[in-house]
Amino acid sequence: MLKLSSILAATCLLTACAAMCESPASPTGPLAPITKYEMPASVQGKFDHLAIDMAGNRLFAAAETAHQVLIFDLRTGKFLRSINNIEIPHAIFVRADLSRIYVTDGGSGALKVYDGRTYELLKSIPLKVDADSIGYDPATHLLYIDNGGGDAHETFSMLSVVDTTSSTKVADIKIDGDTLEATAMEKGTDRMYVNNAAKNQVTVIDRRNRSVAASWPVTMGKRNVAMALDEAHHRLFVACRSGEIVVLDTQTGKELQRLAIGKGVDDLIFDSESRRLYAPCGTDGATWVYEEQDADHYSLLGQVASGPGGKNSLLAKQLGRYFVILPPANSKPGAIAVFAIQKSN
């Protein structure tokens, strides 16, 4: 029979080994690599946004070229299955209380609604082609979707409003400009912000009146695609493909400063608790992480290498994890890189 001391020693060794396998490789940076969720080798081409279902322990990834939404198990990282026959999936939203999955299909010009358990297509809500980015208002359960524009051979775009409870479109807001991108929504007011990339502007929307309230020029960067908001400090962050995050004052609409990032950004995340900005840049294959010292001062915490083409990401604060899509390249299957969020010293 083993002595208790031997059993304890063996247990400690196993625990230490497990911790080493799961521990970050770089404890000093803002993000540390943990693992990768491998994609099926058959999935090729371009990707867009990620979504998470904490209640169902699922992570979703929009595989544009493969016409699928990939689903992974958050606990094991294993690929579970895909939702197929989506012409060009872009954005994904999960409403756990209804067990519904909403996917924008830019190819067919629709918002597709799926059963969250069976993945059966329940409804396809007609929109214009290039249905893309979304913004969700949890107070009203309304989903705002940009669609139309250049792909619809029109000089204007639509911000369509869909009631996710009834799965019906309730309004269209017409915006001058043929390319809309990411949005950000204030909780304390009726305002939301839309990246009007065609005009190099931020379009301000009054959600109550469903109208355009203002347009703010973006001159410190080009091709404004991603967006995040620090509502408490009245700061709007606009990430541009040219390699900048432009900081605007939401009380005046004025540009205040720009923060350098890599090129090819497609997502931008602001965590109000840690006051960090995460900007995944596909051209240099790194996520640039800034920390907000106060409303007018920001420090670069690091450029964390993820991999070529890593331009779409998701922050899961509940898990202490950060996810980046790594598209397939050079005959190598795609993956989702998983990082641990490291606290500042």
Side-chain angles (χ1 to χ4, degrees), residues 4-317:
L4 180 59
S5 59
S6 299
I7 295 174
L8 289 173
T11 302
C12 291
L13 180 61
L14 289 171
T15 302
C17 289
M20 287 176 64
C21 293
E22 280 289 88
S23 65
S26 175
T28 58
L31 296 168
I34 292 291
T35 187
K36 290 181 180 178
Y37 296 175
E38 300 293 339
M39 297 179 187
S42 59
V43 178
Q44 296 293 313
K46 297 179 181 179
F47 279 76
D48 212 344
H49 300 292
L50 288 156
I52 198 167
D53 171 24
M54 293 298 299
N57 291 297
R58 294 175 295 183
L59 185 70
F60 301 84
E64 292 181 336
T65 308
H67 316 298
Q68 301 173 339
V69 168
L70 309 184
I71 307 173
F72 297 85
D73 187 320
L74 272 176
R75 292 166 296 193
T76 65
K78 291 185 177 180
F79 172 73
L80 297 175
R81 58 161 293 160
S82 62
I83 303 174
N84 300 316
N85 302 316
I86 307 171
E87 288 189 34
I88 307 177
H90 283 299
I92 307 156
F93 170 68
V94 180
R95 190 167 164 190
D97 63 324
L98 296 182
S99 190
R100 295 287 185 268
I101 303 166
Y102 306 81
V103 182
T104 55
D105 186 344
S108 66
L111 176 68
K112 294 186 173 178
V113 186
Y114 296 88
D115 186 293
R117 293 179 290 269
T118 66
Y119 305 105
E120 174 190 1
L121 178 63
L122 301 176
K123 192 170 184 179
S124 184
I125 301 169
L127 303 170
K128 291 179 179 288
V129 295
D130 201 24
D132 193 351
S133 297
I134 60 175
Y136 180 67
D137 183 354
T140 62
H141 301 300
L142 295 177
L143 196 66
Y144 294 79
I145 307 156
D146 63 58
N147 59 105
D151 286 357
H153 308 292
E154 295 169 336
T155 59
F156 62 90
S157 301
M158 290 295 186
L159 186 67
S160 297
V161 188
V162 171
D163 185 328
T164 58
T165 302
S166 62
S167 291
T168 57
K169 186 174 76 168
V170 296
D172 282 318
I173 303 169
K174 186 177 178 180
I175 299 175
D176 184 34
D178 63 13
T179 307
L180 302 182
E181 295 286 354
T183 67
M185 194 173 307
E186 290 192 349
K187 296 178 182 178
T189 75
D190 292 317
R191 289 196 301 182
M192 71 178 294
Y193 308 97
V194 182
N195 259 328
N196 192 333
K199 300 288 188 179
N200 242 83
Q201 296 176 345
V202 170
T203 300
V204 184
I205 299 294
D206 184 324
R207 303 200 307 275
R208 180 182 294 274
N209 297 323
R210 292 175 178 164
S211 62
V212 174
S215 293
W216 299 338
V218 177
T219 66
M220 292 183 177
K222 295 181 179 179
R223 185 65 181 172
N224 48 312
V225 294
M227 183 178 282
L229 176 67
D230 177 7
E231 186 172 351
H233 297 94
H234 309 291
R235 294 294 180 263
L236 183 67
F237 307 107
V238 176
C240 301
R241 289 259 169 88
S242 54
E244 302 87 12
I245 297 173
V246 181
V247 185
L248 291 89
D249 185 331
T250 59
Q251 294 179 305
T252 64
K254 302 289 186 182
E255 294 174 289
L256 301 175
Q257 61 177 302
R258 58 184 169 188
L259 311 174
I261 57 172
K263 290 181 169 58
V265 68
D266 203 51
D267 276 328
L268 184 64
I269 300 165
F270 177 71
D271 176 19
S272 59
E273 293 181 13
S274 65
R275 298 179 72 169
R276 285 184 182 180
L277 276 165
Y278 298 86
C281 300
T283 302
D284 63 1
T287 293
W288 293 57
V289 185
Y290 278 90
E291 186 173 73
E292 182 186 59
Q293 306 300 324
D294 57 47
D296 296 312
H297 297 89
Y298 303 84
S299 59
L300 179 63
L301 298 184
Q303 304 167 39
V304 182
S306 51
K311 64 183 179 65
N312 294 107
S313 66
L314 182 144
L315 182 70
K317 292 191 295 183

